[in-house]
Amino acid sequence: MPQITDPIPQEIQVELQQLNFDLDQKIPAKKLDKNLLIATWNIRAFGDLTKNWQSQSDDSPKRDYHSLLCIVEIIKRFDVIAVQEVKGNIRALRYALKLLGTNYSLILTDVNRGKVGNDERMAYIFDTRRVKMSGLACELVVPEEWQKSVGEEVMKEQFCRSPYAVSFKSNEQTFILVTLHILYGKKSTDRINELKGIANWMADWAKDLNAYHQNLITLGDFNIDKRGDLLNQTFIESGLFVPPSLQSPEVTRSIFDETKYYDQIAWFQNKKGVNNLSLKYNTGGNYDFMQTCLINRPLTKVQKSWMLSDHYPLWVEFNL
């Protein structure tokens, strides 16, 4: 049985070279003490791994060494990336860390139990040469008193998959990332209560953090179907701001449907429209891996989604 640390087959090496060339064109380079690259990626069912360079038709799971190498090359481009849909079985994640090497580290939650938890974890992978943890790691919990103060129509229960907040530091700039994966439900209105609950929680926290010049950024899979509807009703009205570059129709989230608006990166603005960040936003976008990964294998889009993901990674660049 081949090992992930064995020499990479020649045809895969060639593809990875082409992938890296494309990444060079589309993702800003890391610049020491100059910029900060933050990303979010829902990696579909990021759990087990078939220990072979190419999985076969009877293998389960379909994710193999080849597809994991592609995922790792994309992850390397960012200083810190929030990953959703990490499963209880973390073999693929452990192997990814082997490939990333000793300069990368990881922090993640325990498994969300219960049916709606879907055996999922939240994780952050970060480049320790450029980003350090700065002390805080917590899951957001709804205070009991909030049901009275914000109304039962906003939040009747805890978050299905608790948002995960971790603080980091880069070049003396401290920032708190809050990653989440909203329950999809049977229809879009099923998400409103949870989205409103998280938005209210974040807005209240941001008021305290602003006094200490802390940067608060939320990112993850919000499961918002269309541009404008749920986002306006829940996040935008609470003061959260999505940069225009991520609102462009060209910045797609789903490999199946360009109209979906699932994944977001957002932060708060004050009443005058000024960002409550000491970080200076530069640019952002997605990365479309469909034309650069596993391109020489006869795979359908659905098959690729189980090997790579059904979501594109979404990223932003800040100037330090």
Side-chain angles (χ1 to χ4, degrees):
M1 181 179 295
Q3 301 298 311
I4 194 72
T5 52
D6 288 348
I8 301 171
Q10 179 63 29
E11 65 274 15
I12 298 178
Q13 287 188 44
V14 171
E15 182 185 290
L16 293 177
Q17 290 171 358
Q18 296 170 342
L19 169 59
N20 275 297
F21 178 80
D22 192 62
L23 286 163
D24 286 341
Q25 312 309 307
K26 296 174 180 175
I27 308 292
K30 295 181 181 181
K31 300 173 185 176
L32 182 64
D33 296 335
K34 298 292 185 182
N35 68 346
L36 175 67
L37 290 156
I38 297 173
T40 181
W41 195 3
N42 180 326
I43 303 179
R44 188 173 196 178
F46 198 41
D48 204 356
L49 183 73
T50 289
K51 294 192 282 186
N52 211 332
W53 292 109
Q54 291 195 8
S55 57
Q56 304 302 310
S57 58
D58 57 347
D59 282 330
S60 180
K62 291 295 182 281
R63 184 169 285 126
D64 52 26
Y65 290 168
H66 183 184
S67 50
L68 187 65
L69 280 165
C70 293
I71 289 170
V72 165
E73 290 304 317
I74 295 169
I75 288 174
K76 281 182 183 177
R77 295 294 167 141
F78 307 109
D79 296 319
V80 55
I81 181 168
V83 182
Q84 301 85 47
E85 272 199 46
V86 176
K87 306 296 277 186
N89 181 329
I90 59 169
R91 175 180 284 165
L93 181 60
R94 288 192 294 104
Y95 277 52
L97 286 171
K98 283 185 182 180
L99 293 169
L100 286 164
T102 57
N103 289 324
Y104 286 81
S105 190
L106 164 76
I107 184 169
L108 77 167
T109 66
D110 196 0
V111 173
N112 284 287
R113 301 294 180 183
K115 183 178 180 181
V116 294
N118 196 33
D119 191 41
E120 289 185 28
R121 308 171 187 264
M122 304 283 196
Y124 293 98
I125 300 171
F126 55 100
D127 184 342
T128 59
R129 295 166 299 183
R130 292 174 48 89
V131 171
K132 307 293 184 186
M133 287 185 60
S134 62
L136 174 72
C138 65
E139 295 184 56
L140 307 192
V141 178
V142 181
E144 184 178 351
E145 295 82 0
W146 276 31
Q147 289 191 16
K148 298 177 182 178
S149 63
V150 301
E152 291 187 2
E153 73 282 359
V154 174
M155 202 69 193
K156 295 180 180 179
E157 55 190 12
Q158 290 299 328
F159 304 121
C160 297
R161 292 178 283 240
S162 297
Y164 188 42
V166 175
S167 64
F168 296 93
K169 191 172 187 178
S170 179
N171 193 29
E172 302 308 313
Q173 292 273 11
T174 301
F175 56 98
I176 299 172
L177 300 182
V178 183
T179 186
L180 51 92
H181 187 188
I182 296 295
L183 180 69
Y184 191 78
K186 296 180 180 178
K187 55 187 183 301
S188 62
T189 52
D190 291 342
R191 292 157 231 163
I192 289 180
N193 285 352
E194 193 169 19
L195 283 165
K196 278 189 175 181
I198 290 172
N200 289 342
W201 207 112
M202 294 278 294
D204 189 71
W205 195 15
K207 292 174 187 175
D208 293 332
L209 292 175
N210 287 341
Y212 298 96
H213 307 289
Q214 297 273 9
N215 297 289
L216 181 64
I217 300 167
T218 184
L219 69 174
D221 182 357
F222 295 12
N223 266 322
I224 293 171
D225 273 333
K226 298 178 182 177
R227 299 167 193 271
D229 55 0
L230 283 183
L231 194 67
N232 287 337
Q233 295 174 44
T234 55
F235 273 57
I236 301 303
E237 70 179 20
S238 71
L240 273 167
F241 168 76
V242 178
S245 57
L246 297 188
Q247 296 188 47
S248 167
E250 296 177 357
V251 181
T252 53
R253 273 65 166 175
S254 167
I255 71 170
F256 296 116
D257 188 340
E258 293 183 356
T259 68
K260 300 302 182 185
Y261 205 39
Y262 298 139
D263 308 280
Q264 303 293 340
I265 303 176
W267 51 87
F268 284 94
Q269 284 188 339
N270 64 26
K271 293 180 180 179
K272 296 181 180 179
V274 177
N275 291 336
N276 291 340
L277 294 177
S278 59
L279 296 166
K280 183 180 178 182
Y281 175 71
N282 186 23
T283 187
N286 67 355
Y287 181 68
D288 182 348
F289 49 75
M290 293 298 286
Q291 306 306 314
T292 53
C293 295
L294 315 184
I295 54 176
N296 295 318
R297 295 170 64 175
L299 299 169
T300 66
K301 191 173 282 191
V302 170
Q303 288 172 324
K304 266 195 177 185
S305 77
W306 289 106
M307 301 177 76
L308 298 166
S309 183
D310 51 344
H311 291 242
Y312 296 122
L314 196 68
W315 59 269
V316 291
E317 180 192 34
F318 292 103
N319 295 329
L320 293 174

